[in-house]
Amino acid sequence: MRHQKIALVIMAVLFALAPLAVYPVFIMKVMTFALFACAFNLLIGYGGLLSFGHAMFLGTAGYAAAHSAKVWGFPPELAILFGTGAAALLGVVTGLLAIRRQGIYFAMITLALAQMIYFYYLQVKFTGGEDGIQAVPRGTLFGFIDLSNIWAMYYTVLVIFLGGFLAIYRVIHSPFGQVLKCIRENEPRAISLGYDTTRYKLLAFVISATLAGLAGATKALVFQLASLTDVHWTMSGEVVLMTLLGGLGTIFGPVVGALIIISMENYLAQLGAWVTIVQGVIFVVCVLTFRRGVIGELASFLKKPL
Amino acid sequence: MAEEIILETRALTKEFKGFVAVKDVSLKVRRGTIHALIGPNGAGKTTCFNLLTHFLEPTRGQIFFKGGEITGSAPARIARMGLVRSFQISAVFPHLTVLENVRVALQRKRGASFDFWRSEQVLRRLDEPARELIDAVGLREFEQTVAVELPYGRKRALEIATTLALDPEMMLLDEPTAGMTHEDVGRIEALIKRVSANRTVLMVEHNLSVVSTLSDTITVLQRGEILAEGNYDSVSKNPAVIEAYLGAER
Ligand SMILES: Nc1ncnc2c1ncn2[C@@H]1O[C@H](COP(=O)(O)OP(=O)(O)OP(=O)(O)O)[C@@H](O)[C@H]1O
Ligand SMILES: [Mg+2]
């Protein structure tokens, strides 16, 4: 465990110093997506559940936070809390519907639910349809930190990201996380030991949805925007990609995966639609050559879990 | 109370698409005994276990455990009532260490298994009792080994330790000594004997020497039906049993 703590400190320092070298908005984007991917990874990497609808939590939290900040005048901390709570609630409802399905059926039902949510947001008025909710005020955190200041915003996002990351780390290394790993490894055996595996999976699903929501709500404040992109199925696909690329079931993998994907989108932007193709190629290469993802391969090389 | 029946099935039947794997099995297992379920390959022994623990839905029939009906109860609930099974194909948690494998079973009874906000350090207090169980099955030197790396016989031993960790009133063991070396068989045999002191064991076993040493009662199953029942002497002299075994093996 010690090397993981060292890696954690290195990661925190890197993110804290990164804006000295790189455009802060870009790193904020990386951090929100990294948190999203970590939340997703908790479910698939440690619970063995492939959700193909995780965008619904990201997007719902974004809309809820944006709407509450813009229309109801919520301060940022409450807007984020409200957005996260909305995602948690959606997690409970969709989790109850999906959790008894196994394997590909679970993936399909999460996708179907996410599509329903997407079309709902496309129809209702408060989301602003194709335009989304724009010009969301960042507001003043706890009444005295003005988030329109880029540095205030940056370090708020950093704290949220690290907080979320640590929360996931703790869940993985908790008594609950231990049971979750057993369910992933051998569900019939876990049942035969008397574990109600459905309940554990449901709790994992809700925690994952909640943290995905935290990422979505934060993202809405950072970009002052909540739009259909975040609930679209391609977003659900992108988080799968990030996690696989970085290393499924590793702690740091999703962060690295998010960094790679977001960098590609940013720096290859002039390629236009080609970005998708480049991503596709990288994905294929990744699956063919280093199956365990960047961090997964590194961990197996170092013979240490990362 | 020696005659108390802890587990009873009434006309238990399981059909797979017209094929009857278990047919009208009425079984009574007395509390505190070791009861063996034997029979040729494909006789329906594992299917019986799957029915008892509700890993399969019976087509007909009823199951009673400690006097109450459990026919429709959820598998995890049946386990929590004290009827715990092992699996024919060794069931361990492959990427957990031997210690973690046993500990997770202890955790179900004593640990706060839904606590996602606590550190797994709280599980440390289960290390000692887990070690005792690991010792008992002869796996002491493998404590930190990842289960997938154990040889087959050791995996079986680990599975028994994990099952024992639940301290179940009744254990169902599906071929506990399969794939073990001679000395491992001896150790597991002694272990089963020892742990059966205050519990009931129903086991499927092909090793007839183990069966004869351990069992108080033997039920012979053939093509899903009970062929004979009794102690080892009476069963082994039963012409129908001899015929079934020779017929199946030749
Ligand atoms: N899920 C299933 N679907 C269809 N047939 C099955 C199923 N499970 C078992 N069977 C069949 O039921 C019969 C009994 O199988 P079972 O596994 O209970 O035998 P067994 O007595 O445990 O044999 P062995 O000694 O080889 O373990 C076999 O003919 C098997 O092919
Ligand atoms: Mg069998």
Side-chain angles (χ1 to χ4, degrees), chain B residues 46 88 174-175:
Chain B
T46 298
Q88 179 169 359
D174 201 347
E175 302 192 17

PDB file of all heavy atoms in Angstrom, chain B residues 46 88 174-175, ligand 2:
ATOM      1  N   THR B  46     -24.618 -33.663  -7.439  1.00  0.00           N
ATOM      2  CA  THR B  46     -24.387 -32.214  -7.429  1.00  0.00           C
ATOM      3  C   THR B  46     -25.698 -31.459  -7.626  1.00  0.00           C
ATOM      4  O   THR B  46     -25.943 -30.426  -6.999  1.00  0.00           O
ATOM      5  CB  THR B  46     -23.371 -31.831  -8.526  1.00  0.00           C
ATOM      6  OG1 THR B  46     -22.137 -32.488  -8.239  1.00  0.00           O
ATOM      7  CG2 THR B  46     -23.140 -30.339  -8.584  1.00  0.00           C
ATOM      8  N   GLN B  88     -18.196 -28.534  -6.224  1.00  0.00           N
ATOM      9  CA  GLN B  88     -17.418 -29.627  -6.781  1.00  0.00           C
ATOM     10  C   GLN B  88     -16.184 -29.092  -7.506  1.00  0.00           C
ATOM     11  O   GLN B  88     -15.090 -29.602  -7.340  1.00  0.00           O
ATOM     12  CB  GLN B  88     -18.276 -30.436  -7.759  1.00  0.00           C
ATOM     13  CG  GLN B  88     -17.511 -31.580  -8.395  1.00  0.00           C
ATOM     14  CD  GLN B  88     -18.423 -32.530  -9.145  1.00  0.00           C
ATOM     15  OE1 GLN B  88     -19.640 -32.348  -9.179  1.00  0.00           O
ATOM     16  NE2 GLN B  88     -17.845 -33.552  -9.730  1.00  0.00           N
ATOM     17  N   ASP B 174     -19.062 -31.121  -1.574  1.00  0.00           N
ATOM     18  CA  ASP B 174     -19.135 -31.845  -2.844  1.00  0.00           C
ATOM     19  C   ASP B 174     -17.735 -32.333  -3.219  1.00  0.00           C
ATOM     20  O   ASP B 174     -16.904 -31.564  -3.677  1.00  0.00           O
ATOM     21  CB  ASP B 174     -19.711 -30.943  -3.940  1.00  0.00           C
ATOM     22  CG  ASP B 174     -20.273 -31.754  -5.113  1.00  0.00           C
ATOM     23  OD1 ASP B 174     -19.984 -32.968  -5.180  1.00  0.00           O
ATOM     24  OD2 ASP B 174     -20.995 -31.176  -5.945  1.00  0.00           O
ATOM     25  N   GLU B 175     -17.503 -33.601  -3.009  1.00  0.00           N
ATOM     26  CA  GLU B 175     -16.209 -34.241  -3.299  1.00  0.00           C
ATOM     27  C   GLU B 175     -15.024 -33.486  -2.693  1.00  0.00           C
ATOM     28  O   GLU B 175     -14.143 -33.015  -3.409  1.00  0.00           O
ATOM     29  CB  GLU B 175     -16.034 -34.397  -4.821  1.00  0.00           C
ATOM     30  CG  GLU B 175     -17.165 -35.214  -5.421  1.00  0.00           C
ATOM     31  CD  GLU B 175     -16.880 -35.635  -6.862  1.00  0.00           C
ATOM     32  OE1 GLU B 175     -15.718 -35.582  -7.287  1.00  0.00           O
ATOM     33  OE2 GLU B 175     -17.835 -36.045  -7.534  1.00  0.00           O
TER      34      GLU B 175
HETATM   35 MG    MG C   2     -21.154 -33.846  -9.104  1.00  0.00          MG
END
